[in-house]
Structures are given as structure tokens and as C-alpha cells.
């Protein structure tokens, strides 16, 4: 049995693209616990930053109170873009979209900094494995 870790699939793309410092967005659990960001650091040497506490709650709440229900609000999109801009100003060279629903709200066309959609990267990694 082979396990393709979502963080590994994402990290391989980041490393391939020469990214060294990345920001992680997702649920509070994803941003705060070590299972994702710790793996990026320990296994791939990536410097991972996350939003400050109040912005983490904004990201988390928008996921659970809006996006999970298919609710898309312009003010929520603006909040995410503000947070992404702040993370970019803190040196993030790219943003990991660590939750499936975030792509309902923002896309690469909205941002100056590259976005990495973990769901897409994980699926592509599984397909590549299956075809090899």
C-alpha cells in the first residue's frame, strides 16, 4: 500500500519551483498543528509562515461558516486577499491553499503571489503514481 501525503505532493512542487518561504492557509487545525507545516519544514526544508491569530480565525471562520455551504462573499474574498498580501509582505514567495474550499473564493488571477492548490496537486500526484 502506498500513501501519498498531501504535504509531500505540495512540497515537491514548491521545491521544483524554487520556493523557499511559503504561507499556509487552511482551517485553524491545518495552520496551527504540526502535521502539515512541520512536515514541510522537516522533510523539505521549507520555511512556513501562517497568519496572525485574528487572521487565522478569519480564514477558518470563512471556510466553515461560508465556503462549506457554498456561500461566496466579496468581503470574504477581500479579507483573504488582504491576508495574502500581508503574508507576501512578510516574505512568503507563494501561498498554499490548504483547504479544498478556498479555491471557491480566490484564484491565481486574484493574486500577485503564486497559489498552490493542495487538492489539485495531491490528485495529480496520485494520477502520476497510478500511471507509472
Amino acid at each position: 500500500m502506498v500513501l501519498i501525503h498531501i504535504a509531500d505532493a505540495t512540497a515537491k512542487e514548491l521545491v521544483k519551483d524554487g520556493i523557499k518561504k511559503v504561507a499556509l492557509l487552511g482551517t485553524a487545525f491545518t495552520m496551527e498543528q504540526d502535521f502539515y507545516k512541520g512536515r514541510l519544514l522537516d522533510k523539505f526544508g521549507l520555511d512556513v509562515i501562517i497568519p496572525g491569530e485574528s487572521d487565522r480565525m478569519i480564514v477558518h471562520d470563512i471556510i466553515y461558516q461560508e465556503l462549506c455551504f457554498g456561500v461566496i462573499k466579496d468581503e470574504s474574498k477581500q479579507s483573504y486577499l488582504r491576508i495574502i498580501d500581508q503574508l507576501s509582505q512578510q516574505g512568503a514567495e507563494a501561498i498554499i491553499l490548504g483547504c479544498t474550499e478556498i479555491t471557491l473564493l480566490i484564484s491565481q488571477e486574484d493574486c500577485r503571489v503564486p497559489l498552490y492548490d493542495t487538492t489539485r496537486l495531491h490528485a495529480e500526484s496520485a494520477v502520476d503514481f497510478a500511471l507509472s
Side-chain angles (χ1 to χ4, degrees):
M1 180 169 156
V2 174
L3 177 69
I4 301 170
H5 197 293
I6 194 166
D8 293 353
T10 303
K12 287 175 185 174
E13 280 297 306
L14 290 162
V15 169
K16 182 183 75 134
D17 293 344
I19 303 295
K20 305 240 185 284
K21 186 172 186 177
V22 65
L24 174 61
L25 297 180
T27 64
F29 181 74
T30 299
M31 292 184 284
E32 294 169 0
Q33 301 298 313
D34 217 29
F35 74 94
Y36 203 109
K37 63 184 179 178
R39 190 168 180 103
L40 294 175
L41 174 64
D42 297 341
K43 191 170 179 184
F44 296 92
L46 294 167
D47 183 9
V48 182
I49 62 173
I50 58 174
E53 186 176 353
S54 62
D55 283 341
R56 285 196 309 271
M57 291 316 323
I58 291 169
V59 169
H60 177 88
D61 289 345
I62 289 170
I63 291 169
Y64 278 117
Q65 296 172 11
E66 297 172 22
L67 300 179
C68 284
F69 296 101
V71 176
I72 311 299
K73 296 181 180 178
D74 189 57
E75 65 252 26
S76 297
K77 180 176 186 169
Q78 295 312 312
S79 293
Y80 265 64
L81 295 176
R82 176 189 56 77
I83 292 166
I84 288 170
D85 188 53
Q86 287 178 342
L87 292 164
S88 178
Q89 290 176 24
Q90 294 172 29
E93 302 167 90
I95 308 295
I96 296 172
L97 304 180
C99 180
T100 305
E101 290 82 10
I102 296 174
T103 58
L104 297 170
L105 190 63
I106 59 169
S107 65
Q108 188 59 66
E109 293 77 31
D110 300 316
C111 301
R112 294 176 288 135
V113 61
L115 302 178
Y116 286 74
D117 176 1
T118 57
T119 305
R120 182 183 56 79
L121 294 169
H122 198 209
E124 287 174 355
S125 184
V127 169
D128 289 346
F129 174 77
L131 295 176
S132 66

